[in-house]
Amino acid sequence: MGLDLNELAQSCGEWLRGTGPEPDIVVSSRVRLARNLAEFPFIAKATEVDRAEIERILRERIEALQAEDRLPRNLTFLDVGELAELDRRFLVERQLISRELADSEGARAVAVDPQEQFSVMVNEEDHLRIQVMRSGLDLQATWEAANRLDDLIEEQVTYAYSDKLGYLTACPTNVGTGARVSVMVHLPALVITRQIDKVFRSLQKISLAVRGLYGEGSQAMGDFYQISNQVTLGLSEEELTKKVADVVPVLLDYERQARDFLIRESQETLHDRVSRAYGILRTAQTITSEETLHLLSSVRLGINLGLIKDVETPTINKLFIHTQPAHLQKLAGMELDSSDRAIERASYLRKHLANGGEGPAAN
Amino acid sequence: MKCQRCEKPATFHITDLVDGEPKELHLCEQCAHTFLSPEEEESNEVIPAMAGLIAQAAVGETAEDLARLDERVCPFCGISFLEFRKQGRLGCPHDYAHFTRELEPLLVNIHGETHHVGKSPRHSVQDAEQQTQLIRLRREMKQAVAEENYERASELRDEIKSIEGARAS
Ligand SMILES: [Zn+2]
Ligand SMILES: [Zn+2]
């Protein structure tokens, strides 16, 4: 049907495409809306029959919208329950589905477009999780796209909604707008200068949440952080978007000041760190995904500061995702245990960083 | 260079950001450590889990009140307040109405607000009563079909249609 996961594995994913405004620090912008169908219990109390019916209804309505050309035709429905474990992991690494959707049981699905800008999860924590992602800093456009998609789906179904509390969600933390507006930022210099905890504490004080690369509870990996609104009730979607958008220039400023400081005060140390990272990635014979993320982060910083000139950010962005376990296995075309993955990962990195990134990844 | 806070040599050079203004600090390792480690009260400032929030919200209730509260059950989905407290997930949209007294302090705790501001569905605005009625009717219809009581099932379908038709107009 329009979406081949093996083909998808070759590319990079919207959130690491490295385009859009401020791409050296703001990797991607994302808006997620939680919605539920009024006629059904929430997932915790839904029977398997309910879940199957929810999936059927939503699929039917979304396909009807496509037939009328009101939704892109290349939006493809994937039955998550039917997918192989490796494919589910792959979609999680790609940020197209949540870990929760991958790991739960019963009828569940996701609709994805090949550009990976839209993904609609069915039967996650809520009946519907509408997600829109854009490269770089582009929150307003991202919100508008999510809003349009929501309007279209809303014409087809009855959402659980109350005038007082807004969109009713399974967890009271999402009630109201049901909206999470977030940016993913790469903040290596704030990590190196140990300012990061302080930044996070000040973000929490203005009720913004900070999470690592793969969402809730995950460790920050490769110095990537996701910053989103904590509150969903009592502020409009535009106000929430503004709240997150307003903090971004401050973060950009902090990170750039920290980068300037490193260049000014400890250029040799920094250059050494970056060059060593690049060297290890180009020569290692076995390497874990954790170490890879860590080193790629240094190289990415090095490129942005002009310390490394023979490889470009998009190549590094691509390597961030291609060296993740499920991606690596899909690219290798076979399942690999963790020690084989470490060998395969090192070989993949050597191949794609040979001649200063002029390898196959730079295509 | 000497540490700005004591006499030892400065080995850490930190850009402190005070209200957006960079301020450079030159500190020895010990002073830098003190400076960089989060203050006691702040270090525990993580987002409280749902259970913690609910526990806070229930402060002021006696143990008996709490036990009674835990036993309350939503007539539509069958979730008890205890179940919700344990899993942090509600069972159906009606729970917001059914447990409204218990949920309000919780919402204030999480959001600092109890009133929605923002978009509303253009095509499906209806009151909570109708929504829960739909859940009940669908359940009954399924039951009727399972019992092969097709006459009842078709009555119920008409009733569902009339509610959904009312909103569409
Ligand atoms: Zn000192
Ligand atoms: Zn209920």
Side-chain angles (χ1 to χ4, degrees), chain A residues 39 42 45 50 147 150-151 154 158 161 164 169-170 172 195 198 204-205 232 257 261 264, chain B residues 13 15-17 24 42 45 83 90-91 96 104 111 116 119-120 122-123 126 131 142 164 167:
Chain A
E39 304 100 288
F42 294 143
K45 283 288 173 184
D50 289 331
N147 192 24
D150 182 44
D151 285 346
E154 176 220 292
T158 308
Y161 178 86
K164 186 186 176 217
T169 52
Q195 301 279 315
K198 203 185 255 186
Q204 281 179 11
K205 277 192 185 129
T232 55
Q257 279 175 25
F261 174 78
R264 203 169 56 240
Chain B
H13 310 284
T15 315
D16 189 21
L17 301 157
E24 305 213 338
E42 285 180 323
E45 202 178 30
E83 248 179 287
L90 293 162
Y96 283 98
E104 283 228 341
H111 302 283
H116 172 57
K119 86 179 273 194
S120 53
R122 276 176 298 177
H123 296 266
Q126 51 178 299
Q131 289 184 10
K142 246 178 269 172
E164 291 191 325
R167 83 167 164 94

Side-chain angles (χ1 to χ4, degrees), chain A residues 238-294:
Chain A
E238 286 78 10
E239 287 169 325
L240 292 174
T241 305
K242 188 174 182 305
K243 196 178 164 85
V244 178
D246 280 351
V247 84
V248 176
V250 181
L251 280 175
L252 290 174
D253 200 33
Y254 282 11
E255 171 66 16
R256 289 194 174 126
Q257 279 175 25
R259 289 180 184 190
D260 288 349
F261 174 78
L262 287 172
I263 282 286
R264 203 169 56 240
E265 300 295 322
S266 54
Q267 175 150 18
E268 285 78 38
T269 318
L270 183 67
H271 205 160
D272 183 62
R273 176 196 186 108
V274 165
S275 309
R276 279 170 192 268
Y278 196 27
I280 293 170
L281 290 170
R282 280 156 45 128
T283 56
Q285 299 298 309
T286 165
I287 191 164
T288 63
S289 90
E290 202 185 350
E291 187 179 7
T292 304
L293 284 167
H294 183 67

Side-chain angles (χ1 to χ4, degrees), chain B residues 119-151:
Chain B
K119 86 179 273 194
S120 53
R122 276 176 298 177
H123 296 266
S124 46
V125 181
Q126 51 178 299
D127 56 40
E129 195 117 328
Q130 274 186 325
Q131 289 184 10
T132 51
Q133 212 180 332
L134 279 171
I135 298 177
R136 186 178 53 80
L137 291 169
R138 265 187 190 272
R139 276 274 154 94
E140 280 180 28
M141 187 173 83
K142 246 178 269 172
Q143 187 67 26
V145 171
E147 288 165 2
E148 300 186 3
N149 187 350
Y150 299 112
E151 203 177 321

Side-chain angles (χ1 to χ4, degrees), chain A residues 232-359:
Chain A
T232 55
L233 189 62
L235 288 174
S236 71
E237 294 81 357
E238 286 78 10
E239 287 169 325
L240 292 174
T241 305
K242 188 174 182 305
K243 196 178 164 85
V244 178
D246 280 351
V247 84
V248 176
V250 181
L251 280 175
L252 290 174
D253 200 33
Y254 282 11
E255 171 66 16
R256 289 194 174 126
Q257 279 175 25
R259 289 180 184 190
D260 288 349
F261 174 78
L262 287 172
I263 282 286
R264 203 169 56 240
E265 300 295 322
S266 54
Q267 175 150 18
E268 285 78 38
T269 318
L270 183 67
H271 205 160
D272 183 62
R273 176 196 186 108
V274 165
S275 309
R276 279 170 192 268
Y278 196 27
I280 293 170
L281 290 170
R282 280 156 45 128
T283 56
Q285 299 298 309
T286 165
I287 191 164
T288 63
S289 90
E290 202 185 350
E291 187 179 7
T292 304
L293 284 167
H294 183 67
L295 297 173
L296 283 171
S297 177
S298 290
V299 171
R300 197 178 190 278
L301 175 66
I303 296 168
N304 287 325
L305 291 178
L307 299 172
I308 293 180
K309 296 195 173 75
D310 59 352
V311 58
E312 292 185 348
T313 308
T315 303
I316 299 300
N317 282 353
K318 202 160 166 176
L319 290 174
F320 266 110
I321 190 150
H322 283 187
T323 54
Q324 295 282 310
H327 271 76
L328 201 66
Q329 294 174 78
K330 283 203 77 72
L331 290 165
M334 61 178 129
E335 294 200 21
L336 300 165
D337 67 21
S338 81
S339 63
D340 286 341
R341 284 203 299 272
I343 294 168
E344 176 65 23
R345 183 176 295 112
S347 142
Y348 189 87
L349 286 162
R350 287 198 309 275
K351 193 164 80 197
H352 289 81
L353 290 173
N355 321 315
E358 290 302 304

